[in-house]
């Protein structure tokens, strides 16, 4: 198992780790186990990429990582499940993304992937890659053997297809039976709220868009108006702002149907977003219609019949880097504040302009709420930056410790060699031996001087990195905060 390490003194990292953990009660671990633990620690705390052999599929906990790249795709589904299980385990805070390299020009490779992805559902789904499902098979090794037999014996695309069809047909009954049993256990032992949380209805969850995609869809629908015809989360565009064709929000179905995958960074989407952001919106009185909305929003029901003000504010905070925050701030005339999530829900409702706002102005409560929201953002950025710098300081100190430790160890080794050669030279009987010893001493002295120079240079490098870190902290302290009101409307909820 090989972990990437761009810092000098990789051996010193391991030796330093051993010294820091010398008090461990587990004194019987082998050097290979210690090495694996040191590599995992290095990957978790400092490195960004770990390249591993199959030995990483067992005995390591990598739940701090959420991306797995299968450079090769084993034919044994249990081996793939073991790989994914290194990251997709208790303590994982994110969805685990699995990237598979696949040779699409190889018919057999495509069928192997189809078998793993569609039959075993190793890479998605609630019931995929579980012991419940894989345990239904007699042996993953047997499947691996049968696939190897296909590669060895089949010579035409037709032979490959027929062989894999036979394998899949035999596996279908076993897999389907165990999947049904697993679903039944969940249905009988968990209530409906848990079903919703684990996305039991997979077809519905796969069709659903996340919140950002929903916002992009609504914006696109409004901006394109008559230039697009919609069908669910797909639309046929025939305008002039971008290429004509069918655009799809789901990349899988877009790729399968040879359609255009539509996303926020697509050129058409960027044009629509920029056009909408630059548009000057006049103040207006807007009537939001909750009663005609297709779903129930219980939190808004107490505001039916009430009116108030709503403001959308863009806050830009520049410290280490610039970041923007959008806030929807709303309050009713009786002084009730709607939190950001509730205010945003108003934009999901059908709306109509019922007048203008001439002669009226937002209540002070809206101004005060804006100040509080901006202050919260600034505090959040400062807290995150402070944590970032704490982590960077620890990384710098550990790196400096490992770097100096490695050079000091090499100096100690050179001193030992010099002492040994001096003793051997003093006891030698011939002039030739003494001369050879002196030459070796001269060579080692030169190496020692070079290592001492490297040690001084390393201290200079450490000081430079510390100066850079201090400069970043000073930049953070000089942060700039600006707020821009994008629009303000008076609202009435009906």
């Amino acid at each position: 198992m090989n972990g990437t390490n761009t810092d000098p003194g990789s051996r010193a990292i391991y030796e330093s780790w051993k010294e820091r953990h010398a008090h461990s009660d587990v004194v019987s671990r082998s050097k290979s186990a210690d090495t694996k633990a040191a590599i995992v620690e290095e990957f978790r705390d400092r490195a960004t990429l770990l390249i591993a052999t199959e030995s990483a599929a067992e005995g390591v906990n990598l739940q701090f990582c959420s991306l797995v790249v299968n450079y090769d795709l084993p034919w044994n589904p249990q081996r793939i499940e073991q790989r994914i299980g290194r990251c997709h385990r208790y303590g994982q805070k994110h969805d685990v993304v699995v990237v598979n390299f696949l040779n699409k020009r190889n018919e057999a490779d495509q069928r192997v992937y189809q078998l793993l992805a569609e039959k075993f559902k190793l890479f998605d789904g609630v019931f995929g890659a579980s012991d419940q499902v894989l345990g239904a098979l007699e042996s993953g090794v047997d499947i691996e053997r049968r696939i190897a037999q296909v590669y060895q014996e089949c010579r035409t695309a037709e032979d490959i297809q027929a062989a894999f069809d036979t394998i899949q047909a035999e596996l279908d009954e076993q897999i389907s039976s165990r999947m049904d049993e697993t679903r039944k256990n969940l249905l009988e032992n968990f209530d409906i709220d848990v079903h919703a949380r684990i996305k039991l209805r997979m077809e519905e969850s796969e069709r659903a868009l996340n919140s950002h995609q929903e916002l992009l869809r609504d914006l696109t629908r409004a901006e394109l108006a008559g230039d697009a015809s919609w069908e669910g989360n797909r639309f046929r565009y025939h305008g002039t702002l971008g290429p004509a064709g069918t655009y799809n929000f789901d990349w899988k179905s877009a790729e399968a149907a040879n359609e255009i995958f539509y996303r926020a960074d697509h050129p058409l989407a960027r044009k629509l977003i920029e056009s909408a952001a630059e548009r000057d919106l006049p103040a207006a009185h807007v009537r939001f219609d909750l009663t005609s909305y297709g779903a129930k929003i219980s939190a808004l029901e107490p505001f039916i019949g009430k009116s108030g003000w709503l403001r959308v504010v863009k806050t830009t905070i520049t410290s280490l880097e610039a970041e923007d925050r959008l806030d929807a701030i709303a309050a009713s005339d009786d002084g009730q504040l709607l939190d950001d999530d509730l205010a945003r829900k108003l934009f999901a409702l059908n709306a109509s302009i019922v007048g203008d706002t001439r002669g009226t102005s937002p209540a002070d409560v809206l101004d005060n709420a804006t100040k509080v929201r901006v202050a919260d953002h600034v505090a959040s950025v400062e807290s995150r930056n402070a944590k970032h710098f704490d982590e960077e300081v620890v990384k710098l100190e550990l790196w400096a410790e490992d770097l100096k430790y490695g050079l000091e160890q090499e100096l100690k080794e050179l001193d030992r060699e010099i002492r040994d050669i001096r003793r051997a030279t003093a006891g030698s009987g011939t002039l030739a031996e003494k001369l050879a010893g002196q030459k070796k001493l001269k060579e080692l002295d030169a190496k020692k001087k070079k290592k001492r120079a490297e040690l001084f240079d390393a201290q200079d490098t450490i000081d430079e990195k510390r100066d850079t870190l201090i400069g970043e902290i000073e930049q953070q302290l000089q942060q700039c905060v600006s707020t821009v009101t994008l629009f303000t409307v008076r609202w009435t909820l009906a």
Side-chain angles (χ1 to χ4, degrees):
M1 180 162 109
N2 300 312
T4 58
N5 186 353
T6 57
D7 293 332
S10 59
R11 179 182 176 185
I13 292 174
Y14 167 67
E15 296 295 340
S16 174
W17 181 90
K18 280 207 303 182
E19 183 175 329
R20 291 199 299 269
H21 294 77
H23 61 278
S24 173
D25 293 332
V26 190
V27 295
S28 61
R29 289 191 301 177
S30 66
K31 182 176 179 180
S32 61
D34 284 340
T35 303
K36 182 180 288 190
I39 290 172
V40 170
E41 183 177 297
E42 172 72 11
F43 179 40
R44 183 190 66 230
D45 297 337
R46 289 173 289 277
T48 57
L49 177 67
L50 173 65
I51 301 175
T53 65
E54 194 66 31
S55 65
E58 297 181 9
V60 294
N61 297 320
L62 303 175
Q63 58 264 54
F64 54 85
C65 174
S66 58
L67 175 64
V68 179
V69 179
N70 284 313
Y71 181 80
D72 66 319
L73 205 58
W75 300 336
N76 186 338
Q78 290 164 335
R79 287 175 60 196
I80 300 179
E81 188 272 338
Q82 284 179 327
R83 291 184 182 184
I84 300 172
R86 299 306 93 210
C87 298
H88 189 251
R89 59 196 301 107
Y90 183 79
Q92 177 60 255
K93 297 179 180 179
H94 307 283
D95 290 338
V96 175
V97 177
V98 181
V99 178
N100 301 303
F101 285 4
L102 176 66
N103 180 10
K104 287 191 172 183
R105 291 177 296 180
N106 187 306
E107 192 75 29
D109 285 356
Q110 289 193 66
R111 288 304 302 269
V112 169
Y113 178 79
Q114 181 186 13
L115 180 68
L116 298 172
E118 296 182 8
K119 294 301 176 184
F120 293 103
K121 297 190 179 296
L122 283 172
F123 311 115
D124 57 12
V126 176
F127 305 102
S130 70
D131 292 337
Q132 287 287 330
V133 175
L134 294 179
L137 306 176
E138 291 183 2
S139 170
V141 176
D142 183 61
I143 296 173
E144 188 173 4
R145 180 186 59 77
R146 294 188 62 183
I147 292 176
Q149 187 177 3
V150 173
Y151 275 80
Q152 293 170 356
E153 297 179 358
C154 298
R155 293 292 178 265
T156 66
E158 291 76 13
D159 291 342
I160 292 171
Q161 292 288 357
F164 274 102
D165 285 344
T166 301
I167 294 174
Q168 288 191 192
E170 293 176 6
L171 294 174
D172 268 343
E173 184 177 352
Q174 299 178 57
I175 295 174
S176 298
S177 174
R178 186 54 62 94
M179 294 279 273
D180 290 340
E181 180 182 342
T182 304
R183 288 192 178 93
K184 181 180 178 182
N185 289 337
L186 283 171
L187 287 168
E188 290 178 350
N189 294 300
F190 295 104
D191 61 30
I192 192 169
D193 291 334
V194 177
H195 297 171
R197 286 182 179 275
I198 64 174
K199 299 179 182 178
L200 189 63
R201 299 173 180 175
M202 288 302 297
E203 292 183 359
E204 293 180 7
S205 66
E206 288 172 358
R207 287 197 300 267
L209 301 176
N210 63 41
S211 58
H212 287 86
Q213 287 177 311
E214 288 178 351
L215 290 173
L216 178 61
R217 179 195 60 195
D218 294 342
L219 172 69
T220 303
R221 190 187 293 270
E223 291 294 316
L224 293 183
D227 289 337
S229 53
W230 290 78
E231 179 185 343
N233 293 323
R234 303 162 64 247
F235 64 92
R236 178 74 182 175
Y237 179 62
H238 43 78
T240 59
L241 295 176
T246 301
Y247 291 72
N248 196 322
F249 283 81
D250 181 71
W251 72 268
K252 287 185 178 180
S253 57
E255 182 178 11
N258 197 26
E259 297 171 343
I260 302 169
F261 173 43
Y262 190 67
R263 58 205 181 278
D265 60 350
H266 188 276
L268 175 60
R270 286 204 301 267
K271 288 180 181 178
L272 298 180
I273 293 171
E274 291 169 1
S275 175
E278 294 171 358
R279 185 175 297 119
D280 183 25
L281 298 174
H285 186 172
V286 179
R287 179 180 179 272
F288 294 103
D289 189 358
L290 178 61
T291 56
S292 65
Y293 189 60
K296 185 179 180 65
I297 307 180
S298 301
L300 281 177
E301 290 178 355
F303 293 93
I304 293 178
K306 293 185 178 183
S307 297
W309 290 90
L310 185 149
R311 173 186 296 165
V312 175
V313 176
K314 176 185 176 183
T315 303
T316 301
I317 304 174
T318 305
S319 54
L320 296 179
E321 57 186 16
E323 58 179 88
D324 296 326
R325 304 286 186 95
L326 281 181
D327 290 296
I329 302 169
S332 60
D333 289 338
D334 58 7
Q336 275 189 280
L337 278 173
L338 286 71
D339 62 33
D340 183 76
D341 182 63
L342 200 55
R344 288 173 183 266
K345 282 183 168 62
L346 289 173
F347 294 105
L349 307 178
N350 293 326
S352 58
I353 297 176
V354 295
D356 56 44
T357 60
R358 285 177 294 184
T360 57
S361 61
D364 291 339
V365 67
L366 214 59
D367 295 329
N368 295 334
T370 302
K371 293 177 182 178
V372 171
R373 193 72 59 82
V374 172
D376 288 343
H377 291 328
V378 172
S380 174
V381 170
E382 289 180 347
S383 175
R384 190 176 69 246
N385 285 346
K387 181 180 179 182
H388 165 74
F389 284 119
D390 287 341
E391 293 172 350
E392 290 302 308
V393 167
V394 171
K395 289 179 182 179
L396 177 60
E397 291 174 348
L398 289 174
W399 174 77
E401 177 186 338
D402 289 336
L403 181 59
K404 290 189 292 185
Y405 180 83
L407 292 171
E408 288 168 355
Q409 288 297 108
E410 292 183 32
L411 281 170
K412 288 180 181 179
E413 181 65 21
L414 286 172
D415 285 337
R416 186 190 62 77
E417 288 187 49
I418 290 172
R419 288 195 303 270
D420 291 345
I421 290 175
R422 280 177 178 166
R423 284 196 296 267
T425 302
S428 59
T430 66
L431 184 61
E433 290 175 345
K434 292 181 182 294
L435 179 61
Q438 290 300 319
K439 287 183 178 180
K440 185 63 176 179
L441 285 173
K442 182 179 179 181
E443 178 185 337
L444 291 175
D445 280 334
K447 284 185 178 181
K448 186 175 178 180
K449 290 179 182 178
K450 183 179 179 182
K451 288 298 176 185
R452 288 193 179 279
E454 289 179 6
L455 185 59
F456 288 126
D457 291 340
Q459 187 60 54
D460 291 339
T461 302
I462 293 167
D463 291 340
E464 289 174 5
K465 288 183 176 290
R466 186 171 281 109
D467 290 341
T468 301
L469 192 61
I470 292 172
E472 290 180 351
I473 295 175
E474 290 176 340
Q475 183 181 349
Q476 179 203 358
L477 294 176
Q478 299 171 357
Q479 67 181 6
C480 176
V481 181
S482 62
T483 59
V484 178
T485 298
L486 300 183
F487 63 85
T488 302
V489 297
R490 179 158 178 79
W491 59 268
T492 296
L493 185 62

